[in-house]
């Protein structure tokens, strides 16, 4: 009897904490990494000033996976040397640190001789969201992987497709988080106390952009009205500024494929997201947008896409429940993914009815002429959004007169994860009317 009671208690604990007995969904253990808190076993001595984190509150996201070229996914600042790439290069090239260089390069799939050239292609940014990664400590001469949640404000280096590659302050190499971002159990320990504003629904994991980028579209973490256009591989000395409040009309996307619509939105400075745990197929047909075509939005504002059908790049999924419409101080309030696992067969096209929109910041209400609503179709519902958390009016991204991404073909592998992925590409914008501003991260 005692054994049976013990077994029942274990089952209850598993159901409440790990998703159920008998092989059900489970939680992914993740270690919290707070900004400005030293790592226990870093690759690089953090007292040497390799990187400087910032005080940034995480912004909510719609869709737990975001692609690396999403407009406004990352931030920047006017503060210089938040990430000293040259110092990291010297450290890993020093023969005295050869063993660390071998471990570091093995994580990133390069040779030790290729480290300098690889670092030259990386770009320093600041996280604007609590971000899931596969982190690596240096223990007993080897890189030891573990899942971690990096707090918003941490300085990192990203590659040409926007994927996190290294944590600036300690040099630890980073790789994509391989679990389900919607089912995580975060451990706040070792000085990494639970930070103010942490919300599980605001956590994001990053996947590579479909193609290599020439520039990153960042948002100044100290002034959300100011955008930063940073050439890939630069440290901030060649930044130019643009106004994130500039308006841009939502393109007419009805009848296009999800992949085509995603590209058009990103080229317009609008970020793509979704409420479920599965990315709609690239060949799924867009049936409606909300707000409708022609609506004027600011840089990174959400545009919701209703889609139906499609066979490649993922399967359709049951749409999530509508997010809360209550305002927040940093961006839309988004609940955790609620969609069911993807099915192999498409479902019928979505209805035309809609529900309340994602919430927007208290200082950035939606346009009075057209309040966005969330479609609730029976097939996958995609939403595109990103907020900068500042101006009182919803405006669009800067113009796209100069290309941002390169003409290189798509290099990423189709995502088959059960968690959603946004696809977007850095946009090209004209600088603000006054002279370009030089910044550095």
């Amino acid at each position: 009897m005692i054994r049976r009671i013990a077994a029942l208690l274990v089952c209850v604990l598993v159901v409440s904490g790990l998703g159920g007995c008998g092989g059900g969904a489970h939680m992914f253990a993740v270690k919290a990494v707070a900004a400005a808190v030293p790592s226990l076993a870093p690759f690089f001595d953090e007292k040497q000033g390799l990187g400087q984190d910032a005080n940034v509150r995480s912004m909510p996201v719609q869709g737990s996976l975001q692609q690396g070229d999403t407009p406004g996914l990352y931030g920047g600042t006017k503060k210089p040397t938040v990430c000293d790439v040259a110092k990291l290069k010297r450290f890993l090239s020093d023969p005295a640190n050869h063993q660390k260089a071998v471990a570091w390069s093995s994580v990133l799939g390069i040779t030790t001789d290729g480290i300098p050239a690889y670092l030259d292609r990386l770009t320093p940014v600041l996280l604007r969201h609590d971000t899931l990664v596969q982190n690596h400590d240096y223990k007993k001469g080897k890189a030891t992987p573990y899942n971690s949640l990096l707090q918003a404000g941490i300085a990192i280096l990203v590659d040409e497709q926007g994927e996190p590659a290294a944590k600036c302050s300690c040099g630890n190499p980073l790789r994509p988080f391989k679990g389900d971002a919607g089912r995580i159990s975060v451990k706040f320990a070792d000085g990494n106390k639970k930070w103010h504003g942490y919300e599980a629904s605001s956590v994001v994991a990053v996947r590579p952009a479909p193609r290599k980028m020439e520039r990153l579209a960042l948002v100044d973490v100290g002034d959300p009205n100011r955008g930063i256009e940073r050439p890939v591989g630069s440290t901030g000395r060649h930044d130019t500024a643009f106004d994130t409040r500039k308006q841009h009309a939502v393109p007419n996307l009805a009848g296009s494929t999800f992949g085509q619509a995603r590209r058009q939105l990103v080229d317009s400075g609008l970020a793509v997201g979704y409420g479920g745990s599965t990315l709609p197929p690239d060949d799924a047909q867009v049936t409606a947008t909300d707000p409708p075509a022609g609506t004027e939005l600011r840089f990174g504002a959400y545009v919701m896409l209703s889609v139906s059908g499609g066979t490649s790049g993922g399967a359709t999924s049951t749409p999530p429940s509508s997010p809360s419409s209550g305002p927040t101080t940093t961006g839309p309030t988004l609940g955790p993914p609620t969609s069911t696992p993807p099915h192999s067969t498409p479902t019928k096209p979505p209805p035309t009815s809609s529900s309340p929109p994602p919430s927007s910041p208290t200082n950035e209400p939606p346009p009075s002429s057209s309040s966005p609503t969330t479609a609730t179709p029976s097939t996958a519902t995609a939403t595109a959004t990103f907020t900068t958390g500042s101006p009182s009016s919803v405006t669009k991204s800067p113009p796209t007169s100069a290309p941002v991404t390169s003409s290189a073909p798509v290099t990423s592998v189709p995502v088959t994860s059960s968690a959603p992925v946004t696809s977007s590409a850095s946009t090209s914008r004209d600088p603000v009317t006054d002279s370009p501003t030089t910044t550095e991260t």
Side-chain angles (χ1 to χ4, degrees), residues 21-88:
C21 293
H26 66 281
M27 304 293 280
F28 292 87
V30 175
K31 293 182 180 180
V33 177
V37 175
S39 298
L40 294 180
F43 271 75
F44 188 92
D45 184 358
E46 298 191 53
K47 295 180 181 179
Q48 301 300 314
L50 179 65
Q52 298 292 328
D53 298 335
N55 183 15
V56 177
R57 181 164 179 169
S58 179
M59 293 184 62
V61 293
Q62 179 107 6
S64 54
L65 295 182
Q66 298 289 333
Q67 288 193 329
D69 55 3
T70 300
L73 175 63
Y74 297 120
T77 178
K78 295 179 182 179
K79 183 180 178 181
T81 62
V82 295
C83 195
D84 195 333
V85 181
K87 184 177 291 186
L88 178 60

Side-chain angles (χ1 to χ4, degrees), residues 80-152:
T81 62
V82 295
C83 195
D84 195 333
V85 181
K87 184 177 291 186
L88 178 60
K89 185 187 299 185
R90 290 194 299 270
F91 176 82
L92 292 173
S93 299
D94 189 337
N97 300 317
H98 179 71
Q99 192 169 5
K100 284 189 175 181
V102 170
W104 194 90
S105 60
S106 66
V107 171
L108 297 163
I110 59 177
T111 63
T112 53
D113 291 339
I115 289 177
Y118 178 78
L119 288 173
D120 286 340
R121 299 194 299 270
L122 302 183
T123 310
V125 298
L126 291 170
L127 295 178
R128 296 184 72 219
H129 310 273
D130 295 340
T131 304
L132 289 165
V133 296
Q134 185 185 71
N135 207 338
H136 295 79
D137 277 339
Y138 183 74
K139 296 179 178 179
K140 299 180 179 180
K142 295 182 179 180
T144 305
Y146 64 97
N147 291 328
S148 70
L149 177 65
L150 305 184
Q151 184 183 11

Side-chain angles (χ1 to χ4, degrees), residues 363-387:
N363 57 351
E364 185 185 344
S368 59
S369 61
S370 175
S371 297
T373 57
T374 304
T376 56
S378 58
T379 58
T381 298
T383 57
T385 178
F386 238 101
T387 58

Side-chain angles (χ1 to χ4, degrees), residues 171-248:
N172 288 2
L174 306 174
R175 289 287 78 198
F177 175 71
K178 298 178 182 179
D180 186 340
R183 296 198 301 269
I184 59 172
S185 176
V186 183
K187 180 181 180 182
F188 294 89
D190 302 321
N192 298 286
K193 296 181 180 179
K194 189 173 183 179
W195 47 82
H196 178 66
Y198 166 73
E199 294 288 345
S201 59
S202 299
V203 170
V204 65
V206 181
R207 293 293 180 266
R211 52 184 177 177
K212 293 182 179 179
M213 297 177 286
E214 294 180 358
R215 290 178 291 275
L216 292 175
L218 313 175
V219 173
D220 191 327
V221 297
D223 179 10
N225 291 336
R226 178 177 177 270
I228 300 172
E229 201 169 70
R230 175 165 299 165
V232 168
S234 68
T235 58
R237 291 183 175 86
H238 304 290
D239 288 354
T240 55
F242 64 90
D243 191 344
T244 61
R245 296 168 296 182
K246 273 191 173 182
Q247 295 189 345
H248 192 84

